[in-house]
Amino acid sequence: MNKITLGIVGVLVLAVIGFFVYQQTPKQPQTLEKITIAQAFEVFLYAPLYVAQEKGFFKDEGLDVNITTAGGDEKAFAALLSGDAQFAVGDPTFVAVSGEKGQPGKVVAAVLRGVPFWGVAKKASIGTISTPSGLNGYSVATFPSPSTAYVLQKKMFQAANIKSNIKETAFGSLLVALDTGAVDIALELEPNVSTAVKNGDHIVYSLNDYYPEFAITGMTALPNYVEQNPETTQKAVNALQKAMTYIRQHPNEVADFLITKFSDVPKDIAENAVQNMIKAGVFPSDTVITKAGWEAAIQARLDVGDLKSAAPYENYVITNFSERAK
């Protein structure tokens, strides 16, 4: 019995010594996988991407993410084709547009859902426009074609069977065009919408009323990358999901962070903009690209001629990463 007892004590002593040696051994830093995400633009609207970076959600998933700015939706997707990025953030329909040219992509997550464009007017004589026919006689400034804003605004004119009167305007210059009287209406994003309203302009319509479910911004990748790197893809989607949840739970904290990134945006404007986009569903609760949202986005591209044929949801959208992330 004494020998058995001594043996047990000896094992326990060795275990304790081993524990303290382990505790004192320098820990090897976690090796993060480096990836690049090419965003179409650096805009307030892409808050989920920035929150995932700022709050360390990418790092928590084991990713070291470099965010680059391509300068357009088509250029962001081109970064995938060139190998300069593993993921792109922008208009997800470009996977289908490129697919018709023989270079398809896959949409692995939603970044935004619902259309984040509001028509803003300065003239008091322009009242609320409740139907597309109310656009008759007015000019509208949008981002240049083939931007989503241009496509959807053109579709609104077409729905009323009236000639499109769109003034393609450089990003950042729409409210200037409105102020100078060059256009009657500016189709704007937040936080510019909240800024315009604060300065005395008024909202005359919201495209979200026409497209409450719309695949407006997604994270895309090439099919072979997704097939060969499913774990990395899942980690990237997980980080975005964490950011979505954080935005909805901490909107004012998100606004505080965004004003450090976009220093020209006042705090009250940022807070209002974040709340507006949560309320409109532009900042979604999850990263799932829905079939209804995809088909609405594809139909818009078909209507204006950017696509020649339908792009089946099942061919271009992968939902299992988003479903797991939820």
Side-chain angles (χ1 to χ4, degrees):
M1 289 295 293
N2 288 338
K3 289 182 179 180
I4 293 175
T5 302
L6 286 172
I8 293 172
V9 171
V11 170
L12 290 174
V13 169
L14 289 173
V16 171
I17 292 172
F19 174 77
F20 280 106
V21 169
Y22 172 78
Q23 289 293 95
Q24 298 301 315
T25 302
K27 304 296 188 300
Q28 294 298 317
Q30 180 187 13
T31 301
L32 301 178
E33 181 182 0
K34 294 181 181 293
I35 63 170
T36 294
I37 299 177
Q39 60 179 354
F41 303 100
E42 184 171 73
V43 287
F44 192 96
L45 205 62
Y46 288 177
L49 179 63
Y50 309 141
V51 169
Q53 183 83 306
E54 170 68 15
K55 301 305 296 183
F57 297 142
F58 284 127
K59 187 175 181 181
D60 290 345
E61 292 291 332
L63 300 177
D64 179 4
V65 174
N66 174 40
I67 299 174
T68 62
T69 302
D73 292 303
E74 72 284 3
K75 293 177 182 177
F77 189 77
L80 300 181
L81 299 175
S82 67
D84 290 336
Q86 287 70 52
F87 298 98
V89 169
D91 185 337
T93 63
F94 275 88
V95 301
V97 173
S98 183
E100 287 195 335
K101 302 173 183 176
Q103 297 175 307
K106 295 288 187 180
V107 189
V108 297
V111 177
L112 304 172
R113 251 189 351 236
V115 179
F117 298 107
W118 287 263
V120 180
K122 179 170 291 295
K123 299 174 184 175
S125 59
I126 304 177
T128 299
I129 296 174
S130 55
T131 63
S133 60
L135 288 170
N136 193 29
Y138 297 129
S139 59
V140 183
T142 76
F143 305 140
S145 175
S147 70
T148 309
Y150 176 90
V151 169
L152 294 184
Q153 188 59 70
K154 184 175 180 180
K155 184 174 170 64
M156 190 174 173
F157 275 106
Q158 290 175 335
N161 198 30
I162 56 179
K163 184 178 179 181
S164 296
N165 190 359
I166 299 174
K167 308 294 184 184
E168 297 179 50
T169 307
F171 185 82
S173 301
L174 277 74
L175 292 184
V176 174
L178 187 66
D179 288 340
T180 60
V183 294
D184 300 306
I185 299 168
L187 190 69
E188 263 290 9
L189 300 164
E190 288 286 14
N192 292 347
V193 174
S194 293
T195 299
V197 172
K198 184 179 179 179
N199 292 337
D201 298 336
H202 57 287
I203 296 172
V204 293
Y205 60 90
S206 169
L207 284 187
N208 190 260
D209 293 337
Y210 296 93
Y211 307 100
E213 188 69 24
F214 195 95
I216 190 77
T217 302
M219 186 165 72
T220 61
L222 296 183
N224 61 344
Y225 181 84
V226 176
E227 183 178 345
Q228 295 168 15
N229 300 274
E231 291 184 2
T232 304
T233 304
Q234 186 66 65
K235 290 174 181 179
V237 176
N238 288 348
L240 281 178
Q241 178 61 63
K242 291 176 181 178
M244 305 294 191
T245 302
Y246 187 87
I247 288 171
R248 299 176 81 85
Q249 292 178 347
H250 308 280
N252 288 343
E253 288 86 342
V254 170
D256 287 341
F257 155 61
L258 289 173
I259 63 176
T260 67
K261 188 172 183 64
F262 300 94
S263 57
D264 58 333
V265 180
K267 182 176 180 177
D268 61 332
I269 293 295
E271 290 178 348
N272 191 66
V274 170
Q275 292 286 3
N276 279 350
M277 288 187 285
I278 291 174
K279 183 178 179 181
V282 175
F283 289 154
S285 59
D286 60 61
T287 67
V288 177
I289 293 275
T290 67
K291 188 172 184 178
W294 174 256
E295 290 179 346
I298 291 299
Q299 188 60 53
R301 290 289 173 188
L302 287 167
D303 289 345
V304 297
D306 289 337
L307 281 173
K308 297 181 179 64
S309 59
Y313 179 75
E314 296 77 12
N315 291 0
Y316 290 98
V317 180
I318 302 175
T319 61
N320 56 337
F321 298 110
S322 293
E323 294 291 352
R324 291 192 197 105
K326 286 200 296 184

